[in-house]
Amino acid sequence: MTLVSAPAEEELRGQALAEIRRILGEQRAAASASAGVELSQALVADIHLDSMELLTLAVGLENRFRVKLNEADSAGIVTVGDLVDLVVRRALAAAAAERSAP
Amino acid sequence: MTAPQPSVPTVNAALRSAAASPYSLTFLDAQERETAFTWTKVLERASAVAGGLAARGVRGGDRVAIVIPTSPAFTDAFFGTLLAGAVPVPLYPPVRLGRLDEYHRATARMLERVGAAVVVSDERVKLLLGQSVATARPRLGLVDAEELLASAPGEWVEPRPEDLGLIQFSSGSTVDPKPVALEQRHLLAQCAALKSLMPEPASAGQLGVSWLPLYHDMGLIGALLSAAYYPGPLVLIPPEVFLGTPAIWLRAISRFRGTISPAPNFAYGLCLKRVSDRELEGVDLRSWRYALNGAEPVSPEVLRRFTERFRPLGFDAASMMPVYGLSEASLAVTFSPRRAPARVCPVDARALAEEGRADAGSYELASVGRPLPGVEVEIRGEDGRARPERRVGRVVVRGPSVMRGYYEDAEATAAALPGGWLDTGDLGFFADGELYLCGREKDLVIVRGANHAPQEFEACLEGLAGVRPGCAVALGFTPPDETSEELLILAERRGAPPQDAAVEDAIRGAVVERTGVRPHTVKMLEPGTLPRTSSGKMRRREALRRYLAGQLTPPRRMNVVRMAAELARSTFALARSRLERLRGER
């Protein structure tokens, strides 16, 4: 997917949440575990994602939105919403950088 | 079989001979782009790093901690440390979205444990190491591998075969990390043994592909050091790239015509679960001669399903080779021959668990093969004597790649190497000369190929409402519906059974939050149910045995009458045994 023009932020947020649900659905055999994932839920305390699931989630989001998450990012990320915000922020920044490039 | 003689005495010498070969190390990224360095270049870069380390005050024998993800910077730092005459200590780097506070505690603990002189890291990771470094305070602080690379090449220090060549942690955590001290000759003996079992040289197409972490024996010794020793080409994939897109592993084997590629059981299972046919278009696995499967219990079902699924892509069933090893033995202890299908022994699960006998039955165990050439493996009973075939006992190992000991820990070393034999703490038996593993006497939980001390998990339950303090155990088990080892928590409740669900949920959250491992099963028990020693310590293995046998039952309540009856019974038993002894003496 290429971000030719910056899509509306809301649309991007929706896509990020959908992608998180998709990746978690793939991870957990029980589809119900991912269908109910909401922005307010804590990734670890509520959804109980383990280290491999978190890593898979990070790599999956990186691949889908062509962004780079790094090891230090974990500091501010508690909920699904935090992660969506981070991905959207990075994706918009990447799109802006692409536009300003000659 | 006698141990094959290594062709060179040290890893340093192996690297130099690799540098005279035409082969390369290739790093693959998430977009499957290649960065390749010839071994000549690898040596050149490592020489610069060695110069930089020496200029900063690193001396022969110093421990150099390396905290770098799979990348050229890792090999620069690793081989540079060896060329400087120092001892590399690879530690796991932090992961994206991982828990940093726990990471700092574990890293600081490991740095202190080996008395690291310096920590070598890269541009990204170094920003996250401040706290660990501030706690452990290595003498020469923290340096970036890239800065070291800009140094003038140093003079090579020539180590002796009996000098330390590597310290690897058998389980790295805040609880009791065990630094395994390996000498140069141990590493070389392991490489020579592996090459004797997979003898085709690189000129005949031998090529390794590995996504295994380089801070772990299978990736470091089995892939990287072996490739230098052959010498031959090696393709390295960062572990997180594999976990994110498992298909990249199989595609790399196909694209580079890989012949050797090892992985733990869970990785083969992950390919079944997460790789789609669409991702494998054009993939050809015919080159893959050695699909080594080790580092955690091997599931016969995964072996079968993997073989079936990937046979249409040219995967040869004979290539699937279960192996067994542990970091204390450098890496491998036993190795399966190439054959199809992998050998499986159906045993009677009850006789195995309760009487330690491998009678014919329907519970399948996969053979992990025969001892490596030059390695002795024995099964010993509780009396320390060798057990016959098909009788379960502790697996003990002696051979040229068994560690010197745990670094600066005489007590733990003496316990692990009684009489010069390595006590693996694993339980197993021999059948037709092949080793089968069927449990563990040591307290260890292996999840996805990584070793964890149970205390690591149990500590998470301290102070948790609804759990009796100190009355919980963490265990590794393979659930009936799963094909790899998972975490089981057995905890005695403080409170009423109706609250169990909430407490179980709190336990899951607390454990995954602090350790990154989610318990598969949490079971709440009546107070007093868990078996204890006479001094009140939890008996973990016995708890697991009873759990699996469905025999975890609460203690009987003692009343005066029952107490009197117990007393009478034991007095009677005592009298009878005295009588028997007297009879025996006459």
Side-chain angles (χ1 to χ4, degrees):
Chain A
M1 177 188 123
T2 46
L3 294 166
V4 192
S5 62
E9 194 176 318
E10 269 318 296
E11 193 186 325
L12 206 48
R13 288 180 65 82
Q15 287 172 3
L17 180 61
E19 183 67 4
I20 290 171
R21 285 181 175 152
R22 190 192 66 76
I23 296 168
L24 294 185
E26 211 179 73
Q27 292 275 294
R28 300 268 179 101
S32 57
S34 61
V37 167
E38 291 303 333
L39 290 170
S40 62
Q41 283 182 308
L43 294 163
V44 178
D46 295 330
I47 312 175
H48 296 173
L49 295 184
D50 67 21
S51 55
M52 189 170 87
E53 289 167 336
L54 282 171
L55 187 61
T56 308
L57 187 57
V59 175
L61 290 167
E62 286 182 343
N63 290 347
R64 169 75 167 76
F65 295 98
R66 299 289 163 91
V67 294
K68 204 83 195 138
L69 307 178
N70 63 53
E71 293 79 357
D73 286 336
S74 65
I77 308 297
V78 177
T79 63
V80 175
D82 296 337
L83 184 57
V84 167
D85 288 345
L86 176 70
V87 170
V88 169
R89 213 159 56 231
R90 291 278 154 85
L92 291 176
E98 207 165 286
R99 274 200 310 280
S100 65
Chain B
M1 243 193 307
T2 55
Q5 189 63 31
S7 56
V8 286
T10 62
V11 177
N12 301 42
L15 178 62
R16 284 198 301 270
S17 73
S21 80
Y23 307 110
S24 298
L25 266 187
T26 302
F27 295 87
L28 221 55
D29 70 9
Q31 278 74 48
E32 296 172 75
R33 290 176 301 216
E34 304 170 32
T35 308
F37 293 106
T38 58
W39 282 106
T40 317
K41 192 77 188 159
V42 172
L43 175 65
E44 196 184 302
R45 291 168 62 107
S47 297
V49 169
L53 287 171
R56 276 169 179 74
V58 169
R59 299 287 165 258
D62 274 352
R63 277 77 56 215
V64 174
I66 299 168
V67 195
I68 303 178
T70 298
S71 64
F74 181 93
T75 50
D76 295 346
F78 183 84
F79 290 117
T81 299
L82 284 172
L83 293 180
V87 184
V89 187
L91 302 180
Y92 58 97
V95 296
R96 272 161 282 188
L97 301 180
R99 302 282 308 168
L100 278 177
D101 40 357
E102 198 62 25
Y103 176 80
H104 287 310
R105 272 203 291 276
T107 304
R109 182 94 170 74
M110 291 189 281
L111 292 176
E112 285 166 351
R113 191 59 193 72
V114 297
V118 65
V119 179
V120 184
S121 184
D122 70 1
E123 198 188 6
R124 274 161 68 102
V125 174
K126 74 176 179 196
L127 302 172
L128 299 165
L129 290 176
Q131 206 176 314
S132 315
V133 170
T135 309
R137 301 175 52 152
R139 192 177 89 229
L140 304 170
L142 172 70
V143 293
D144 186 331
E146 206 175 312
E147 281 170 40
L148 295 172
L149 199 55
S151 319
E155 269 184 43
W156 294 341
V157 178
E158 208 46 57
R160 293 165 306 176
E162 60 274 19
D163 285 338
L164 282 187
L166 170 69
I167 297 177
Q168 56 181 356
F169 279 89
S170 67
S171 68
S173 73
T174 44
V175 188
D176 197 23
K178 292 256 177 65
V180 173
L182 298 167
E183 297 168 6
Q184 289 270 1
R185 56 183 177 149
H186 299 144
L187 301 169
L188 271 295
Q190 177 68 215
C191 290
L194 292 176
K195 192 176 175 183
S196 75
L197 294 161
M198 301 177 285
E200 304 83 356
S203 56
Q206 194 82 291
L207 182 145
V209 174
S210 170
W211 57 265
L212 298 166
L214 294 173
Y215 52 82
H216 186 276
D217 51 11
M218 201 150 59
L220 183 65
I221 302 173
L224 185 62
L225 299 191
S226 288
Y229 179 82
Y230 262 83
L234 174 67
V235 177
L236 290 170
I237 303 165
E240 66 272 19
V241 168
F242 163 73
L243 293 175
T245 315
I248 288 180
W249 177 33
L250 305 179
R251 289 206 291 255
I253 291 170
S254 170
R255 168 170 155 201
F256 294 92
R257 320 292 316 137
T259 54
I260 305 178
S261 197
N265 182 70
F266 92 86
Y268 292 96
L270 202 64
C271 287
L272 292 169
K273 211 161 90 181
R274 299 237 330 265
V275 174
S276 67
D277 292 339
R278 188 174 45 83
E279 291 175 290
L280 295 179
E281 246 166 67
V283 164
D284 177 349
L285 298 177
R286 277 177 299 178
S287 63
W288 197 1
R289 278 183 69 77
Y290 303 102
L292 308 177
N293 184 333
E296 64 174 324
V298 175
S299 152
E301 195 191 331
V302 168
L303 298 182
R304 262 193 305 268
R305 284 172 46 205
F306 188 91
T307 302
E308 270 165 37
R309 161 94 193 266
F310 296 108
R311 187 178 289 137
L313 301 181
F315 183 75
D316 180 355
S319 302
M320 183 56 94
M321 295 165 59
V323 293
Y324 163 65
L326 63 171
S327 48
E328 284 83 351
S330 293
L331 173 62
V333 169
T334 65
F335 225 73
S336 291
R338 268 178 53 84
R339 67 180 161 212
R343 186 170 295 175
V344 165
C345 179
V347 297
D348 179 339
R350 195 204 52 82
L352 191 72
E354 290 174 16
E355 291 152 50
R357 276 200 338 262
D359 295 347
S362 60
Y363 178 65
E364 292 190 328
L365 290 170
S367 161
V368 290
R370 296 169 185 275
L372 259 61
V375 173
E376 296 168 84
V377 179
E378 268 186 30
I379 304 295
R380 296 211 183 138
E382 270 167 30
D383 56 2
R385 302 239 299 266
R387 302 271 283 157
E389 280 232 326
R390 290 187 167 266
R391 291 292 183 279
V392 176
R394 281 173 97 97
V395 180
V396 298
V397 177
R398 191 161 69 174
S401 63
V402 169
M403 66 173 180
R404 175 194 286 183
Y406 294 114
Y407 186 74
E408 290 192 343
D409 189 341
E411 202 180 316
T413 300
L417 296 168
W421 286 80
L422 170 66
D423 180 354
T424 65
D426 288 310
L427 295 176
F429 62 87
F430 272 106
D432 301 323
E434 301 208 2
L435 181 65
Y436 293 82
L437 297 169
C438 56
R440 226 171 276 144
E441 197 91 297
K442 62 188 164 191
D443 288 326
L444 187 68
V445 183
I446 305 184
V447 180
R448 294 189 294 265
N451 294 356
H452 301 268
Q455 294 89 342
E456 212 182 303
F457 305 113
E458 291 159 6
C460 305
L461 309 186
E462 273 164 29
L464 215 61
V467 181
R468 282 184 85 200
C471 299
V473 292
L475 300 154
F477 80 128
T478 303
D481 51 341
E482 299 282 345
T483 52
S484 29
E485 185 163 334
E486 298 273 354
L487 175 61
L488 165 71
I489 306 272
L490 302 174
E492 292 180 2
R493 72 171 71 87
R494 185 169 65 181
Q499 280 144 27
D500 279 358
V503 177
E504 284 168 17
D505 198 56
I507 290 176
R508 279 206 176 81
V511 171
V512 73
E513 177 118 34
R514 281 186 50 188
T515 66
V517 177
R518 184 177 53 247
H520 177 278
T521 301
V522 177
K523 186 155 178 62
M524 300 304 294
L525 306 162
E526 281 281 296
T529 307
L530 288 170
R532 293 155 166 85
T533 63
S534 52
S535 60
K537 273 180 70 182
M538 291 292 164
R539 296 169 61 204
R540 295 192 185 86
R541 308 315 303 177
E542 177 61 15
L544 179 63
R545 195 193 65 74
R546 288 191 200 172
Y547 172 78
L548 294 176
Q551 293 168 346
L552 265 181
T553 46
R556 288 185 298 169
R557 283 187 212 290
M558 280 289 182
N559 57 29
V560 181
V561 176
R562 190 170 278 164
M563 190 103 86
E566 284 289 337
L567 248 166
R569 249 203 306 278
S570 73
T571 310
F572 177 70
L574 198 69
R576 192 175 54 191
S577 78
R578 278 204 189 118
L579 201 66
E580 276 163 7
R581 217 168 33 237
L582 280 173
R583 273 190 199 130
E585 275 166 17
R586 272 213 303 264

